[in-house]
């Protein structure tokens, strides 16, 4: 079955110049929609679960669900990734349940709310890297604090996100420090802070360079051309989905997300993993609201979850095609984690500079 590590998948994406959407999931309907879109577009895929998703679905259920999705779609390389791990234990238990990649987010302390200093971040990330690489599992780290350059703070997602206002400097990754972090930790992928944030309310206007600092991505890529960069909080919050939700009883305020063309710009400058959650939530919610508004007597979940999955599948297909992921599934032969462990041990996967 085609389970793949993040490192192998992003190495392939870098070689062929595409990005890979990382779709958050909590349940069967989301998993089925994502995988059907991957199958239709012949795309490798990253499924990711946060601590909140793991608590909601239960680790045992989630692990068996991933097993089933991989079995149903044996020709689609699937990376199962932990989103925003907050300590070593969270990462270890994810690996125990079959995750092939984990994120150790040491930019915040264990509470997931308090900004951490560099020593804490690099120290805990390095410990997770050492442990994960022994087993052939990939690690994503984060340098800089995810949050809005407009408001000067972050938005919590599943209880994870900085609380209160923080300095402008903290909200932008220092390219020089990014190089130091990669040297100190040997992460496989690096999430950077450049103005994106969790949730739907990212920008109060169409973003420009003042609030979405793509130049930070470009400078980090110039200094770290071989490092796989990650954009968090990268839902585009489509206007048509906002309109559907509000037409059928919702009350979403006007908002802007990360334009697809800016993500495509990032892909040209080393962005290989693009995190998407809000867009899929909106697609599901809009479809469910429509069914229940038009058929208020309906109570069969299948009658509203089926069109909800179709709406989410459509959005996922669009992202696979827009990011250049489509058509790459058959080009990859996934390596088992045991083989990846040998490569880590040999030093062949150590970061390369210059």
């Amino acid at each position: 079955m085609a389970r793949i590590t993040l490192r192998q998948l992003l190495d392939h994406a870098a070689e062929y110049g595409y990005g890979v959407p990382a779709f958050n999931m909590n349940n069967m309907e989301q998993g089925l929609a994502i995988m059907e879109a991957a199958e239709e577009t012949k795309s490798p895929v990253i499924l990711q679960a946060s601590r909140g998703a793991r608590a909601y679905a239960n680790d045992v259920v989630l692990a068996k669900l991933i097993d089933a999705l991989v079995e149903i779609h044996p020709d689609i390389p699937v990376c199962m990734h932990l989103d925003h791990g907050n300590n070593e234990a969270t990462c270890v238990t994810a690996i125990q349940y079959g995750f092939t990649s984990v994120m150790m987010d040491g930019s915040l302390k264990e509470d997931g709310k308090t900004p951490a200093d560099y020593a804490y971040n690099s120290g805990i990330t390095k410990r997770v890297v050492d442990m994960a690489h022994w087993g052939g599992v990939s690690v994503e780290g984060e340098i800089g604090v995810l949050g809005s350059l407009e408001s000067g703070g972050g938005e919590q997602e599943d209880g994870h996100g900085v609380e209160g206002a923080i300095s402008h400097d903290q909200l932008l990754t220092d390219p020089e420090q990014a190089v130091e972090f990669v040297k100190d930790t040997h992460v496989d992928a690096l999430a950077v802070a450049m103005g994106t944030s969790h949730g739907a309310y990212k920008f109060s206007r169409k973003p420009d360079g003042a609030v979405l600092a793509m130049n930070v991505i470009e400078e980090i890529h110039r200094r770290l051309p071989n490092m796989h960069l990650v954009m968090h909080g990268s839902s585009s919050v489509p206007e048509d989905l906002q309109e559907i939700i509000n037409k059928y009883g919702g009350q979403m305020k006007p908002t802007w997300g990360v334009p697809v063309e800016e993500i495509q710009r990032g892909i040209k400058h080393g962005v290989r993993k693009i995190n998407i959650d809000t867009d899929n939530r909106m697609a599901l919610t809009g479809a469910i609201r429509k069914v229940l508004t038009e058929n208020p007597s309906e109570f069969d979940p299948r009658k509203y979850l089926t069109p909800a999955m179709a709406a989410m599948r459509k959005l996922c297909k669009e992202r696979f095609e827009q990011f250049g992921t489509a058509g790459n599934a058959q080009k990859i032969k996934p390596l088992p984690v045991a083989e990846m462990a040998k490569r880590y041990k040999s030093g062949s996967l150590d970061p390369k500079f210059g």
Side-chain angles (χ1 to χ4, degrees):
M1 288 187 276
R3 201 170 295 220
I4 191 171
T5 62
L6 184 71
R7 177 59 184 270
Q8 185 191 0
L9 177 52
L10 299 191
D11 281 351
H12 189 271
E15 181 179 356
Y16 289 92
Y18 63 91
V20 186
F23 296 116
N24 285 75
M25 59 169 288
N26 305 274
N27 59 26
M28 180 189 76
E29 287 77 17
Q30 290 176 309
L32 289 171
I34 295 165
M35 291 304 299
E36 287 167 6
E39 186 73 61
E40 290 182 30
T41 57
K42 303 302 178 189
S43 301
V45 64
I46 302 166
L47 301 175
Q48 59 183 23
S50 64
R51 285 182 291 138
R54 291 174 64 187
Y56 172 82
N58 187 293
D59 276 337
V60 175
V61 173
L62 197 57
K64 299 298 184 183
L65 175 58
I66 301 305
D67 287 345
L69 294 172
V70 172
E71 184 175 348
I72 293 167
H73 301 278
D75 297 324
I76 301 299
V78 177
C79 171
M80 188 60 208
H81 177 76
L82 170 69
D83 193 21
H84 288 292
N86 65 321
N87 59 25
E88 299 96 323
T90 302
C91 295
V92 171
T93 53
I95 293 170
Q96 289 173 331
Y97 281 102
F99 286 57
T100 54
S101 176
V102 297
M103 179 190 186
M104 179 58 235
D105 183 2
S107 69
L108 301 176
K109 292 186 178 180
E110 187 173 345
D111 63 5
K113 301 174 183 178
T114 307
D117 60 24
Y118 180 84
Y120 175 91
N121 189 358
S122 61
I124 194 169
T125 302
K126 181 63 165 65
R127 289 194 295 276
V128 170
V129 167
D130 288 345
M131 171 201 68
H133 284 182
W134 291 335
V137 172
S138 310
V139 179
E140 172 189 339
E142 181 172 323
I143 187 75
V145 179
L146 198 69
S148 169
L149 293 172
E150 275 192 284
S151 66
E155 180 169 326
Q156 290 211 343
E157 188 72 15
D158 286 343
H160 187 98
V162 66
E163 282 192 342
I166 56 175
S167 72
H168 191 272
D169 288 346
Q170 288 175 291
L171 292 167
L172 289 174
T173 298
D174 177 354
E176 184 176 343
Q177 194 172 71
V179 175
E180 182 183 3
F181 187 77
V182 172
K183 288 180 178 178
D184 287 345
T185 63
H186 287 203
V187 290
D188 299 287
L190 182 65
V192 299
M194 26 67 77
T196 61
S197 59
H198 291 138
Y201 300 100
K202 304 178 190 298
F203 306 106
S204 65
R205 55 184 170 84
K206 185 176 181 179
D208 56 21
V211 294
L212 182 62
M214 296 302 295
N215 61 302
V216 170
I217 292 276
E218 293 168 352
E219 178 59 21
I220 293 172
H221 179 59
R222 188 185 70 80
R223 297 183 186 218
L224 291 169
N226 300 304
M227 175 51 53
H228 306 313
L229 303 181
V230 182
M231 286 179 63
H232 279 247
S234 291
S235 283
S236 297
V237 196
E239 186 177 358
D240 63 324
L241 295 183
Q242 296 180 50
E243 291 174 351
I244 291 170
I245 289 172
N246 289 340
K247 180 179 179 180
Y248 294 102
Q251 296 183 1
M252 284 194 70
K253 297 176 290 185
T255 182
W256 280 261
V258 182
V260 168
E261 59 267 25
E262 294 295 340
I263 296 171
Q264 292 169 331
R265 174 183 171 185
I267 291 169
K268 293 177 182 177
H269 295 277
V271 171
R272 299 295 162 224
K273 176 175 178 279
I274 303 100
N275 286 14
I276 297 172
D277 190 3
T278 294
D279 285 354
N280 282 334
R281 293 182 180 188
M282 291 174 65
L284 289 168
T285 299
I288 291 170
R289 282 189 173 277
K290 182 176 186 294
V291 171
L292 295 180
T293 299
E294 293 179 344
N295 302 278
S297 63
E298 187 57 71
F299 58 87
D300 182 347
R302 295 169 296 181
K303 295 296 178 62
Y304 52 82
L305 291 175
T306 298
M309 286 191 288
M312 181 170 165
R313 182 169 63 247
K314 178 178 180 289
L315 189 140
C316 291
K317 285 178 63 178
E318 289 173 356
R319 296 296 180 264
F320 284 130
E321 291 162 354
Q322 291 162 337
F323 299 166
T325 328
N328 280 288
Q330 61 265 43
K331 299 177 183 177
I332 307 172
K333 184 179 180 180
L335 298 171
V337 290
E339 175 59 31
M340 294 299 291
K342 292 177 184 177
R343 297 187 182 195
Y344 284 122
K345 185 175 182 180
S346 73
S348 67
L349 297 180
D350 285 352
K352 297 178 177 61
F353 302 93

